[in-house]
Amino acid sequence: RFTLGEARARAVFAGDGVAFEDIRGTWAGGAVQARVGFERVADGLRAIGRIGIAGGRLAGVVWTNGGRPVAEGRFDLDLAFDGRGRSPAALVGLLDGQGRFVVRDLVIDGLSPRSIPGIDRHLAANAPIDAPRIAPLVEAGLVGARANAGTIETALAIENGTVRLPRLASEGADPVAGRLVLDLPRWTLEAEITTPLAQAGLDPARLPRLALAFRGAIEAPERRVDVRQIVDALNLRRFEQDVNRLEQIQRDIDERERRMRDLERQEEERRQRERAERERAEQERLARERAEQERAARDRAARPASVQPATDPDTFRRRIEGVLGTMPEAPADAGPRGAPPLPPPIVIPRAPAPPR
């Protein structure tokens, strides 16, 4: 319903038509300036005009949710239109036009880019991640939330009675994006508003977009929260966490294997050192024995022949017999007192051990 307050205009009649020039008034708290002309044509009635609204209150135009307007701010509209038809409804259904729409200080109710605590608790419990479980958490987290979207400036187009704002993008503390389609003959709308959700633990460079979708009658469209991107991002996060956990387990296994290899290497080095020490000690022992044998051989070689040991028993026996043969025979009646003195004792040294 379009009710112009404080309206005034100038009507100009010409031929089969009438034009309302210099239309002025107020609507939704904004100043209206317009021109509209009507004329009869072969296929019915033609309407052509231009309308401008400056400083309108968005809260006076949009629908409410829980007693609060779904959006607030100030808007400007500049629109040129042209349509024809055999009835007002047909004329609206064939309306075409184009223009520009600007909203400043836009605040959207029930939307926020901030982290939702319920999702954090859900993830901490390692619960399954899917839309039926995540959507209620998001809905609860958006109660009382408000997004300070800032300013939106966009072109709009009307074709066959359908108003399209295809690219809505804001520049504010809480940036939003979206689209809006108004079907004037059916008086319905279809809209989508999204904002990046800065959920804790998600990559800031790849934040999912939280989406609000509206569909239905312009006075009270149905609202639905679209969490598909959030679910995908959370599942990706959990997958990456699982991968990181597996990689950490593999790193721990690799580290244990490396330590085992180090221990085995150190044990092998210890065994090699002990083996080398045993071999060195054996070589030193053999060297000492060879030195002792060589020294004993030198000692034997350096002894006089008179003290050389009689190693041959026959030779030793003959020497004894020779000594006894040089002794005078004792008289038959001679007793022990008449026995001649014995020669000095012969020292027989121990024979050296044979070399090994």
Side-chain angles (χ1 to χ4, degrees):
R1 186 172 58 183
F2 189 89
T3 302
L4 191 62
E6 302 177 9
R8 64 185 179 86
R10 181 168 56 89
V12 178
F13 296 90
D16 292 335
V18 59
F20 295 94
E21 304 282 355
D22 196 22
I23 301 172
R24 294 178 183 272
T26 61
W27 182 69
V32 178
Q33 186 173 0
R35 176 190 181 280
V36 180
F38 299 94
E39 62 176 335
R40 291 184 179 277
V41 292
D43 53 355
L45 182 67
R46 181 188 183 193
I48 184 171
R50 189 179 193 96
I51 182 171
I53 303 174
R57 288 188 312 105
L58 198 60
V61 178
V62 299
W63 64 98
T64 61
N65 183 22
R68 295 195 304 181
V70 296
E72 298 179 16
R74 290 285 182 173
F75 71 91
D76 298 335
L77 173 66
D78 182 18
L79 174 64
F81 59 88
D82 187 356
R84 62 184 65 199
R86 295 187 180 277
S87 66
L91 188 149
V92 172
L94 295 174
L95 198 65
D96 295 328
Q98 58 185 5
R100 195 147 196 89
F101 182 67
V102 180
V103 182
R104 291 179 296 276
D105 301 325
L106 174 62
V107 177
I108 302 175
D109 187 67
L111 182 66
S112 174
R114 289 156 186 79
S115 182
I116 297 175
I119 294 180
D120 296 334
R121 292 190 292 269
H122 186 83
L123 297 177
N126 201 31
I129 300 173
D130 52 33
R133 290 178 173 87
I134 297 300
L137 301 177
V138 175
E139 288 276 17
L142 294 180
V143 173
R146 293 167 68 84
N148 297 309
T151 300
I152 289 180
E153 183 174 357
T154 184
L156 65 85
I158 305 176
E159 183 177 2
N160 294 330
T162 300
V163 182
R164 301 181 186 277
L165 289 80
R167 287 182 295 275
L168 300 175
S170 75
E171 299 175 358
D174 303 327
V176 300
R179 62 182 183 85
L180 172 65
V181 178
L182 300 174
D183 188 332
L184 298 180
R186 294 181 175 84
W187 203 240
T188 61
L189 70 78
E190 181 180 338
E192 183 181 62
I193 301 294
T194 69
T195 188
L197 181 64
Q199 188 66 37
L202 296 182
D203 184 357
R206 298 184 300 170
L207 291 178
R209 299 195 74 84
L210 168 62
L212 297 182
F214 301 91
R215 183 188 296 269
I218 291 178
E219 294 88 351
E222 179 185 357
R223 175 181 179 271
R224 181 175 60 85
V225 177
D226 187 343
V227 297
R228 286 175 296 181
Q229 288 196 24
I230 299 175
V231 169
D232 291 343
L234 295 178
N235 277 315
L236 177 61
R237 174 196 176 191
R238 178 163 291 178
F239 172 76
E240 291 174 343
Q241 289 176 335
D242 291 342
V243 170
N244 292 336
R245 187 159 48 248
L246 291 175
E247 290 178 346
Q248 183 60 49
I249 292 174
Q250 185 61 50
R251 284 193 292 270
D252 293 341
I253 293 174
D254 294 341
E255 178 64 17
R256 286 195 294 269
E257 290 179 349
R258 185 190 65 79
R259 292 180 179 178
M260 288 298 298
R261 290 194 298 269
D262 288 344
L263 291 175
E264 291 174 355
R265 177 180 54 79
Q266 294 171 6
E267 179 63 20
E268 179 62 25
E269 291 176 352
R270 184 188 64 79
R271 287 195 295 265
Q272 291 179 358
R273 288 194 300 270
E274 291 179 352
R275 186 164 52 250
E277 181 65 22
R278 288 194 300 270
E279 292 176 354
R280 184 184 62 79
E282 180 65 15
Q283 292 174 358
E284 291 178 352
R285 185 186 65 79
L286 294 176
R288 286 195 300 271
E289 290 181 355
R290 285 194 298 271
E292 291 176 359
Q293 293 172 1
E294 292 172 356
R295 184 171 58 254
R298 287 194 300 271
D299 291 344
R300 287 196 303 273
R303 288 193 188 101
S306 61
V307 297
Q308 289 295 326
T311 58
D312 186 356
D314 294 337
T315 303
F316 179 72
R317 181 176 54 81
R318 286 194 297 270
R319 288 181 180 177
I320 294 298
E321 291 176 349
V323 171
L324 294 177
T326 58
M327 295 176 60
E329 293 186 1
D333 57 350
R337 290 183 180 270
L342 295 175
I346 299 174
V347 178
I348 302 175
R350 181 186 301 272
R356 293 183 181 179

